[in-house]
Amino acid sequence: MHLDEFDRRIVGQLARDGRLSTVELADRVGLSPSAVTRRLQRLEQDGVIAGYRAVIDPAAVGLGITAFVEISLERQNDEALKAFEAAARKCPNILSLHLMSGSSDYLLRIVARDLSDFERLHANVLGHLPGVARIESKFALREAIERPLMVVPERPPRS
């Protein structure tokens, strides 16, 4: 999908503040509210804007530990990957799950209340996910950068 400068401005402003009203958004990007509404509908229908949500600070709700967990599976066939992913989706502490290239099959971002809570997750959840052969955990000391995708790059001109 081709995004023009106004589309990129709209996406950038919403990434900064998803609670902007259509009128505020229109003012910031230099379009009328009706033009912004039409563009928003198109961006949503085309999947550029995948959704809207509040960003919750894990520490503020008692989840003070963030761990990145690498998991290797016994097998990497479609059936094994689907079974692992389906089971992992059931654990609300797993915030993201990425199929990876390299020495591990998956990288997970997990939150826990504390080390005891993480130990419980490791033993009772991660260790029981289907097909797990190896688990390696790394703990985040602090988050240095966290940002939404705010800039939609222009596509280079076709030659």
Side-chain angles (χ1 to χ4, degrees):
M1 167 181 186
H2 171 72
L3 301 179
D4 66 15
E5 183 59 31
F6 287 111
D7 292 332
R8 286 191 292 281
R9 285 186 204 165
I10 289 169
V11 171
Q13 289 297 320
L14 286 175
R16 284 181 191 87
D17 183 358
R19 297 183 72 178
L20 287 173
S21 71
T22 304
V23 172
E24 291 171 312
L25 185 56
D27 186 51
R28 290 187 186 189
V29 301
L31 290 171
S32 70
S34 60
V36 166
T37 298
R38 285 190 302 276
R39 285 173 179 266
L40 280 173
Q41 289 170 343
R42 182 178 44 80
L43 291 165
E44 291 167 359
Q45 288 170 351
D46 290 346
V48 174
I49 297 175
Y52 302 88
R53 62 180 149 206
V55 178
I56 310 300
D57 179 357
V61 294
L63 298 167
I65 298 286
T66 298
F68 293 89
V69 178
E70 296 179 7
I71 292 185
S72 296
L73 300 180
E74 296 165 346
R75 294 182 191 85
Q76 291 79 27
N77 59 42
D78 282 346
E79 185 178 310
L81 299 177
K82 286 178 184 175
F84 176 82
E85 291 173 14
R89 273 188 202 94
K90 295 177 184 172
C91 178
N93 294 75
I94 299 174
L95 299 184
S96 65
L97 174 68
H98 302 270
L99 180 62
M100 304 296 290
S101 64
S103 60
S104 299
D105 296 310
Y106 286 96
L107 177 65
L108 294 70
R109 182 168 55 103
I110 296 177
V111 291
R113 288 187 301 277
D114 51 31
L115 286 174
S116 296
D117 188 36
F118 180 80
E119 180 182 14
R120 178 194 59 77
L121 286 167
H122 189 281
N124 299 332
V125 177
L126 301 178
H128 293 281
L129 292 172
V132 171
R134 185 183 64 82
I135 302 173
E136 183 177 335
S137 304
K138 297 172 179 152
F139 294 94
L141 300 177
R142 67 180 168 87
E143 186 172 81
I145 296 174
E146 168 65 25
R147 61 178 148 223
L149 178 61
M150 296 177 66
V151 177
V152 179
E154 288 187 57
R155 288 196 174 146
R158 294 183 183 161
S159 46

